[in-house]
Each structure stands twice: as C-alpha cells, then as structure tokens.
Coordinates of all heavy atoms in Angstrom, one line a residue:
V1 N 43.8 7.8 26.1 CA 43.4 7.1 24.9 C 42.5 8.1 24.0 O 41.5 8.6 24.4 CB 42.5 5.9 25.3 CG1 42.0 5.1 24.0 CG2 43.3 5.0 26.1
H2 N 43.0 8.3 22.8 CA 42.3 9.2 21.8 C 41.1 8.4 21.1 O 41.4 7.4 20.5 CB 43.3 9.8 20.8 CG 44.4 10.5 21.4 ND1 44.2 11.9 21.7 CD2 45.6 10.2 21.7 CE1 45.4 12.3 22.2 NE2 46.3 11.3 22.2
E3 N 39.9 9.0 21.2 CA 38.8 8.5 20.5 C 38.3 9.4 19.4 O 38.3 10.7 19.7 CB 37.7 8.1 21.4 CG 38.0 7.2 22.6 CD 36.9 7.1 23.6 OE1 35.9 6.4 23.4 OE2 37.0 7.8 24.7
I4 N 38.0 8.9 18.3 CA 37.5 9.7 17.2 C 36.1 10.4 17.5 O 35.2 9.7 17.9 CB 37.4 8.9 15.8 CG1 38.8 8.5 15.4 CG2 36.7 9.7 14.8 CD1 38.8 7.6 14.2
I5 N 36.1 11.7 17.4 CA 34.8 12.4 17.6 C 34.3 13.2 16.4 O 33.1 13.7 16.4 CB 34.9 13.3 18.8 CG1 36.0 14.3 18.6 CG2 35.0 12.6 20.1 CD1 36.1 15.4 19.7
E6 N 35.0 13.2 15.3 CA 34.6 13.7 14.1 C 35.1 12.9 12.9 O 36.3 12.7 12.8 CB 34.9 15.2 13.9 CG 34.4 15.8 12.6 CD 34.8 17.2 12.3 OE1 35.6 17.8 13.2 OE2 34.5 17.8 11.3
F7 N 34.2 12.5 12.0 CA 34.6 11.7 10.8 C 34.2 12.5 9.6 O 33.1 12.4 9.2 CB 33.9 10.4 10.8 CG 34.6 9.3 10.0 CD1 34.8 8.0 10.4 CD2 35.1 9.6 8.7 CE1 35.4 7.0 9.7 CE2 35.7 8.6 7.9 CZ 35.8 7.3 8.4
P8 N 35.2 13.2 9.0 CA 34.9 14.0 7.8 C 35.5 13.3 6.6 O 36.5 12.7 6.6 CB 35.6 15.3 8.0 CG 36.8 15.0 8.9 CD 36.5 13.6 9.5
I9 N 34.9 13.5 5.4 CA 35.5 13.1 4.1 C 35.3 14.2 3.1 O 34.1 14.7 3.0 CB 34.9 11.7 3.6 CG1 35.1 10.6 4.6 CG2 35.6 11.4 2.2 CD1 34.4 9.3 4.1
V10 N 36.3 14.5 2.4 CA 36.1 15.5 1.2 C 36.5 14.7 0.0 O 37.5 14.1 -0.2 CB 37.1 16.7 1.4 CG1 37.1 17.5 0.1 CG2 36.6 17.6 2.5
L11 N 35.5 14.6 -0.9 CA 35.6 13.8 -2.1 C 36.1 14.7 -3.3 O 35.4 15.6 -3.8 CB 34.3 13.2 -2.6 CG 34.3 12.2 -3.7 CD1 35.1 11.0 -3.4 CD2 32.9 11.8 -4.1
L12 N 37.4 14.5 -3.7 CA 38.0 15.3 -4.7 C 38.0 14.5 -6.0 O 38.7 13.4 -6.1 CB 39.4 15.6 -4.3 CG 40.3 16.4 -5.3 CD1 39.8 17.7 -5.6 CD2 41.8 16.5 -4.8
N13 N 37.5 15.1 -7.1 CA 37.6 14.5 -8.4 C 38.9 14.9 -9.0 O 39.2 16.1 -9.2 CB 36.4 15.1 -9.3 CG 36.4 14.5 -10.7 OD1 37.4 14.2 -11.3 ND2 35.1 14.2 -11.1
T14 N 39.7 14.0 -9.4 CA 41.1 14.3 -9.8 C 41.2 14.7 -11.3 O 42.2 15.2 -11.8 CB 42.1 13.1 -9.6 OG1 41.6 12.0 -10.4 CG2 42.1 12.6 -8.2
H15 N 40.0 14.5 -12.0 CA 40.0 14.9 -13.4 C 39.6 16.4 -13.6 O 40.1 17.1 -14.4 CB 39.1 14.0 -14.2 CG 39.5 12.5 -14.1 ND1 40.7 12.1 -14.6 CD2 38.9 11.5 -13.5 CE1 40.8 10.8 -14.4 NE2 39.8 10.4 -13.7
T16 N 38.5 16.7 -12.8 CA 38.0 18.1 -12.9 C 38.7 19.0 -11.8 O 38.6 20.2 -11.9 CB 36.5 18.2 -12.5 OG1 36.3 17.7 -11.2 CG2 35.7 17.3 -13.5
L17 N 39.4 18.4 -10.8 CA 40.1 19.1 -9.7 C 39.1 19.9 -8.9 O 39.4 20.9 -8.3 CB 41.2 20.0 -10.2 CG 42.3 19.2 -11.0 CD1 43.4 20.3 -11.4 CD2 42.9 18.1 -10.2
E18 N 37.9 19.3 -8.8 CA 36.8 20.0 -8.0 C 36.4 19.1 -6.8 O 36.5 17.8 -6.9 CB 35.6 20.2 -8.9 CG 35.8 21.2 -10.0 CD 35.9 22.7 -9.6 OE1 35.3 22.9 -8.5 OE2 36.4 23.4 -10.3
I19 N 36.0 19.8 -5.7 CA 35.5 19.0 -4.6 C 34.0 18.6 -4.9 O 33.2 19.6 -5.1 CB 35.5 19.8 -3.3 CG1 37.0 19.9 -2.8 CG2 34.7 19.1 -2.2 CD1 37.2 20.8 -1.6
E20 N 33.7 17.4 -5.1 CA 32.4 17.0 -5.6 C 31.4 16.9 -4.5 O 30.2 17.0 -4.6 CB 32.5 15.7 -6.4 CG 32.8 15.9 -7.8 CD 32.5 14.7 -8.7 OE1 31.8 13.8 -8.3 OE2 32.9 14.7 -9.8
D21 N 31.9 16.4 -3.3 CA 31.0 16.2 -2.2 C 31.7 16.1 -0.9 O 33.0 16.0 -0.9 CB 30.3 14.8 -2.4 CG 28.9 14.7 -1.8 OD1 28.6 15.6 -1.0 OD2 28.1 13.8 -2.1
T22 N 31.0 16.2 0.2 CA 31.6 16.1 1.5 C 30.7 15.3 2.4 O 29.5 15.2 2.2 CB 31.8 17.5 2.2 OG1 30.6 18.1 2.4 CG2 32.8 18.4 1.4
F23 N 31.4 14.6 3.4 CA 30.6 13.9 4.4 C 31.1 14.4 5.8 O 32.4 14.6 6.0 CB 31.0 12.3 4.3 CG 30.4 11.5 5.4 CD1 29.1 10.9 5.2 CD2 31.1 11.3 6.6 CE1 28.6 10.1 6.2 CE2 30.5 10.5 7.6 CZ 29.3 9.9 7.4
Q24 N 30.3 14.5 6.8 CA 30.7 14.8 8.1 C 29.7 14.3 9.1 O 28.6 14.5 9.0 CB 30.8 16.3 8.3 CG 31.3 16.8 9.7 CD 31.1 18.3 9.9 OE1 30.0 18.8 9.5 NE2 32.0 18.9 10.6
Q25 N 30.2 13.6 10.1 CA 29.4 13.1 11.2 C 30.2 13.1 12.5 O 31.5 12.8 12.4 CB 28.8 11.7 11.0 CG 27.6 11.7 10.1 CD 26.7 10.4 10.2 OE1 27.2 9.4 10.8 NE2 25.6 10.4 9.5
Y26 N 29.6 13.4 13.6 CA 30.3 13.4 14.9 C 30.1 12.1 15.5 O 29.2 11.3 15.1 CB 29.8 14.6 15.8 CG 30.1 15.9 15.2 CD1 29.1 16.7 14.5 CD2 31.4 16.4 15.2 CE1 29.4 17.9 14.0 CE2 31.7 17.7 14.7 CZ 30.7 18.4 14.1 OH 31.0 19.6 13.5
V27 N 30.9 11.7 16.4 CA 31.0 10.4 17.1 C 30.9 10.5 18.6 O 31.6 11.4 19.2 CB 32.2 9.7 16.6 CG1 32.2 8.2 17.2 CG2 32.4 9.6 15.2
K28 N 30.1 9.6 19.2 CA 30.0 9.7 20.7 C 31.2 8.8 21.2 O 31.3 7.6 20.9 CB 28.7 9.0 21.1 CG 28.4 9.0 22.6 CD 27.4 8.0 23.0 CE 26.0 8.4 22.5 NZ 25.4 9.5 23.3
P29 N 32.1 9.4 22.1 CA 33.2 8.6 22.6 C 32.7 7.7 23.8 O 31.7 8.0 24.5 CB 34.1 9.7 23.2 CG 33.3 10.9 23.4 CD 32.1 10.8 22.4
E30 N 33.4 6.6 23.9 CA 32.9 5.6 25.0 C 33.8 5.6 26.2 O 33.3 5.6 27.3 CB 33.0 4.2 24.4 CG 32.1 3.9 23.2 CD 32.3 2.5 22.6 OE1 32.5 1.5 23.5 OE2 32.3 2.4 21.4
I31 N 35.1 5.7 26.1 CA 36.0 5.6 27.2 C 36.0 6.9 28.0 O 35.9 6.9 29.2 CB 37.4 5.2 26.8 CG1 37.5 3.8 26.2 CG2 38.4 5.3 28.0 CD1 38.8 3.4 25.6
N32 N 36.1 8.0 27.3 CA 36.0 9.3 28.0 C 34.9 10.1 27.4 O 35.1 11.0 26.5 CB 37.4 10.1 27.7 CG 38.5 9.4 28.4 OD1 38.6 9.3 29.7 ND2 39.5 9.0 27.7

C-alpha cells in the first residue's frame, strides 16, 4: 500500500509563464 510522504505544489502563472510560489510538506505514513 503506497502512502503519500511528500506533498509538493508548484504554482505556475499562465499569463507571465513564471513560477510564482511553491509549497512542500512531508507526511508521516501510518500503515508502513
């Protein structure tokens, strides 16, 4: 069973074609 251990987001502005911001957090797995 695969559990998510990293949740990243890259926020891309489609008008400027620039990466405006990023999000990254790690996650504690429960089953394994």
Side-chain angles (χ1 to χ4, degrees):
V1 179
H2 298 279
E3 299 172 82
I4 291 172
I5 53 174
E6 183 186 356
F7 199 137
I9 303 178
V10 168
L11 185 64
L12 174 65
N13 184 320
T14 63
H15 303 293
T16 65
L17 301 183
E18 297 286 336
I19 291 174
E20 274 197 14
D21 210 346
T22 62
F23 174 95
Q24 181 193 40
Q25 280 197 354
Y26 296 102
V27 183
K28 184 197 292 283
E30 297 177 40
I31 296 175
N32 294 297

